[in-house]
Amino acid sequence: MSADTSAVPSPRGRTLRLLRGAARVLAAAGLAVDAYLHARLADQYDTVSASISQGTLFRIEAGLAALAALVVLVWRRVPGDLFAWAVAAGGLALLLVYRYVDVGELGPIPNMYEPLWYGEKRLTALAEAVAVVATVFLLLTYPHRRRRRARKPL
């Protein structure tokens, strides 16, 4: 006789599910703030341009962050979590690079060096950092389900 304990989740399993749910909400919230701020600030950066304006790049970031926020909430799979992580980590990395390094113009990308911290930039950095940490947690705690193999009768 074997007892089937799979019907009742363990307290540890419930706690992990709650933590993962909270991480999804935090990741989505961070990405939503990122999307909102980039969309709101985009028109102020339309004059900074090479072939592509910084405002256009802000709009692209806003769209990707909004999509990533939706994906991390709705599609609870590793590829979706990886996409959300990539958007948040890429946005944070670029924000920090262009804050501390004068990269200059890179082909069609304008010189986006801005050595100042201001409220929206701080909030964006915080939101992206929260999303990065939350998505890393999701990726590290992804539940691996083992499939039972059907035994062949002898």
Side-chain angles (χ1 to χ4, degrees), residues 6-83:
S6 63
V8 179
S10 70
R12 182 176 175 210
R14 274 182 282 188
T15 302
L16 185 59
R17 271 200 322 269
L18 286 172
L19 288 173
R20 286 181 54 77
R24 286 196 183 286
V25 170
L26 281 173
L31 288 160
V33 168
D34 178 24
Y36 169 75
L37 290 171
H38 275 90
R40 191 172 134 233
L41 295 172
D43 63 342
Q44 296 176 22
Y45 288 94
D46 280 334
T47 59
V48 180
S49 67
S51 295
I52 301 171
S53 77
Q54 188 172 347
T56 299
L57 294 173
F58 270 39
R59 288 179 188 93
I60 292 169
E61 171 67 17
L64 288 172
L67 178 61
L70 184 63
V71 164
V72 81
L73 283 176
V74 175
W75 193 46
R76 299 174 178 201
R77 302 284 186 267
V78 171
D81 295 344
L82 279 170
F83 175 68

